[in-house]
Amino acid sequence: MATLKEATIVQRMIGERIETADRLPPAPRVAGADVSMKWRDSMGPVHAAIAPVDGPAATATAIPPFPYVPGYLGFREVPVLAMAWDRMAASGGPVPDLLIVDGHGRAHPRRAGVASHLGVALDVPTIGCAKTLLCGMVEGEVGPDPGDRAPVVHGGEVVAMALRMRARAAPVYVGIGHRVSLETAVDWVLRLGGGRRLPLPVRLAHDAANAARRLAEAERS
């Protein structure tokens, strides 16, 4: 994208293409998706990982084609995540049926957070699982126990669920990415929580992306 105006148009198109009903196989192969980059380095490389819960992660590193602009992270992160996805597909093994992405889905001003952007780009079901709110307000209060939840509302629409994964831990914000209902998204994040604040696939992808960044930095030094 050359300008924010063009990027905004693309995001609105992505938002219109999102499917909010379940289109998953009975026992999907689940993976996490995350990126790592040097703090406050808006021009440096992005290191991406797709990490299945039952196999090795695939990673990729590239200079992003778009600068850092809040609300437009998909244009930085999705191209590199797609490279990692292509590497996993090229390895000959099965590709995941469901991605849990460290980031928002429809809880985005134009309903096109990185989880939705990635799901539409790859034509694969995705769930967004973010640590902070980008837009909207939590309606009511999230109870103190694991599994307690409250809806996140933006523009009169429920766009995510604030979900307590662990007692005394801040909630995460779980939302539809693409081809997954909100109820199913919450169910999968809880199912893979393992008593931690973030679900296992996201933790695996986070570790793999950071490892790729450290390796790239060591090779440059």
Side-chain angles (χ1 to χ4, degrees), residues 5 18 22 57 68 76 79-80 82 91 101 109 113 115 123 152 157 161 164 166 177 199:
K5 182 177 180 180
I18 294 167
D22 292 324
Y68 173 81
R76 285 175 58 80
V80 193
S91 70
V101 184
D123 197 29
V152 177
E157 178 187 0
M161 197 68 68
R164 188 86 64 194
R166 186 177 65 183

Side-chain angles (χ1 to χ4, degrees), residues 108-188:
H108 180 277
R110 290 164 294 281
R111 306 295 183 261
V114 62
S116 294
H117 194 148
L118 184 64
V120 170
L122 297 180
D123 197 29
V124 66
T126 56
I127 294 168
C129 183
K131 297 181 283 293
T132 59
L133 271 180
L134 178 62
C135 70
M137 298 287 292
V138 178
E139 193 172 86
E141 300 225 357
V142 182
D145 298 325
D148 286 346
R149 67 201 70 177
V152 177
V153 179
H154 180 258
E157 178 187 0
V158 175
V159 294
M161 197 68 68
L163 177 66
R164 188 86 64 194
M165 296 287 287
R166 186 177 65 183
R168 296 182 297 278
V172 294
Y173 303 94
V174 180
I176 296 167
H178 183 49
R179 294 184 175 173
V180 180
S181 68
L182 184 55
E183 180 180 1
T184 296
V186 169
D187 178 67
W188 273 106

Side-chain angles (χ1 to χ4, degrees), residues 33-35 77 100-104 114 127-131 198 202 206:
D34 195 12
V35 303
E77 298 181 4
I100 303 180
V101 184
D102 188 341
H104 286 289
V114 62
I127 294 168
C129 183
K131 297 181 283 293
L198 293 174
V202 171
H206 175 82

